[in-house]
Amino acid sequence: MSIYFTKEHEWVRVKEGIGAVGISEHAAHELGDITFVELPAMGKVVKQFDMLGAIESVKAASDIFSPVSGKVVKINEALNDAPEIVNESAEDAGWLTWIEIADEAELKNLMTREQYDEYLKTI
């Protein structure tokens, strides 16, 4: 399974044409205590870097952008009652949605973990 990141701090973990999407540990830490996650509708079709949802914390509200184009096939409904899961496990249990990826060639527009770690040093 490969994981890729955007400059807006979203990640996508790809397995068999499905991408699990969430926000990075860095983003969750910067946001502070997360109080609400606005998830996309099931079946929603998104283009790469389109708005996917939003996340709110005690510090700020932030839009979430889709790292890939495709169709939303699953959402993490646990976040409706327990948005703090994103703080506790941003890159695992705190995933936001699964997207059926339309074009895996788009992954080349994203950063690897190593590239993302380097990017974080520049901001």
Side-chain angles (χ1 to χ4, degrees), residues 49-115:
F49 308 129
D50 275 3
M51 194 171 137
L52 187 62
I55 199 158
E56 294 176 17
S57 73
V58 291
K59 288 187 192 175
S62 183
D63 291 337
I64 299 165
F65 300 97
S66 183
V68 291
S69 299
K71 184 170 83 173
V72 173
V73 293
K74 190 172 182 178
I75 56 172
N76 190 350
E77 293 185 12
L79 301 181
N80 290 331
D81 296 323
E84 66 276 6
I85 295 170
V86 177
N87 289 119
E88 295 160 6
S89 183
E91 293 179 21
D92 191 18
W95 62 273
L96 307 176
T97 183
W98 288 7
I99 294 178
E100 189 175 60
I101 299 173
D103 183 5
E104 288 198 21
E106 288 180 343
L107 297 172
K108 72 181 184 305
N109 301 329
L110 306 175
M111 292 177 276
T112 63
R113 162 85 62 195
E114 294 73 25
Q115 290 168 327

